């Protein structure tokens, strides 16, 4: 199985590159951001709880997202592999993912990190906020919260996957196609 973890700060292009990778490698896309936004749209209890945190750029509790991913893995038993987009975002989530995959006799193949500086991230997210209607893209102070959450809770995962020999970084600045080509090169090696 090919199990890819796409890693990077908010706005690095994880969702954008996931779409292209899914088409190329026929993988199942598991985006916790997308699943959570869907829960909000459907006004579920989980969605209502998550909305308050997401609108402020704060991570949703680990047990909530771990449960969501566990359910999705069960629903896709015959998948050729998965793209984990925006998950894991904390060490607890990474440990839980290792356990969930080990239970299926598989593992994370590699982590692909998109590297983009803060100035470019802020520019991209404010631009998207103009037509996405996403509250978390609407102003610089929320975007700053998201980048802080990333630096405090998610960035340490670089060491977690480096220790497993699975961390690979790619320059996330450039055209979408250039970045996609760089990612494919690493996957196909
Ligand atoms: P996510 O939905 O995961 O989203 P993201 O970090 O905003 O974006 P991504 O990196 O996918 O960027 P995109 O391709 O869209 O998270 C949202 C919130 O959900 C989190 O803040 C958190 O509250 C919650 N959440 C999600 N997962 C969680 C978890 N595991 N644990 C706890 N909480 C969780 O690109 C952004 C913009 O850049 C787009 O407009 C795109 O068009 C543009 N862009 C992309 N590539 C470009 C390029 N090469 N050049 C120029 N622009 C580019």
């Amino acid at each position: 199985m090919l199990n890819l973890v796409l890693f990077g700060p908010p706005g690095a292009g994880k969702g954008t590159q996931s779409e292209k990778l899914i088409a190329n490698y026929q993988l199942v896309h598991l985006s916790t951001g997308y699943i959570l936004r869907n829960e909000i749209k459907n006004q579920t209890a989980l969605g209502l709880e998550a909305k308050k945190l997401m609108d402020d750029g704060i991570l949703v509790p680990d047990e909530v997202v771990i449960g969501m991913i566990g359910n999705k893995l069960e629903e896709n038993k015959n998948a050729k592999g998965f793209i984990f987009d925006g998950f894991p975002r904390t060490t607890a989530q990474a440990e839980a993912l290792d356990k969930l995959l080990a239970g299926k006799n598989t593992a994370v193949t590699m982590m692909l990190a998109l590297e983009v500086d803060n100035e470019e991230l802020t520019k991209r997210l404010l631009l998207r906020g103009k037509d996405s209607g996403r509250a978390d893209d609407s102003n610089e102070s929320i975007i700053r919260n998201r980048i802080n959450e990333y630096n405090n809770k998610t960035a340490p995962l670089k060491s977690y996957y480096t220790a497993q020999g699975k961390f690979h970084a790619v320059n996330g600045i450039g055209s979408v196609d250039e970045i996609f080509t760089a990612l494919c090169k690493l996957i196909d090696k």
Side-chain angles (χ1 to χ4, degrees), residues 60-127:
V60 171
D62 285 335
E63 59 276 17
V64 173
V65 283
I66 291 168
M68 282 175 1
I69 288 289
N71 291 340
K72 290 287 171 191
L73 291 177
E74 279 304 301
E75 283 169 23
N76 291 280
K77 282 199 172 110
N78 298 321
K80 283 172 69 179
F82 294 92
I83 292 195
F84 298 94
D85 164 7
F87 179 91
R89 261 178 157 98
T90 63
T91 304
Q93 292 179 21
E95 288 167 352
L97 179 60
D98 279 350
K99 276 201 197 120
L100 284 168
L101 292 177
K104 302 187 178 313
N105 294 319
T106 185
V108 168
T109 311
M110 58 171 73
M111 170 183 259
L112 296 162
L114 296 168
E115 297 190 329
V116 178
D117 60 78
N118 289 355
E119 205 184 318
E120 170 73 12
L121 294 173
T122 310
K123 210 169 71 188
R124 285 184 190 179
L125 293 174
L126 286 174
L127 189 71

Side-chain angles (χ1 to χ4, degrees), residues 10 13-16 32 37 58 60 86 89 93 128 134 146 174:
K14 301 181 293 286
T16 305
T32 38
R37 279 188 291 278
I58 306 295
V60 171
R89 261 178 157 98
Q93 292 179 21
R128 180 171 68 184
R134 271 178 62 169
R146 293 167 64 190

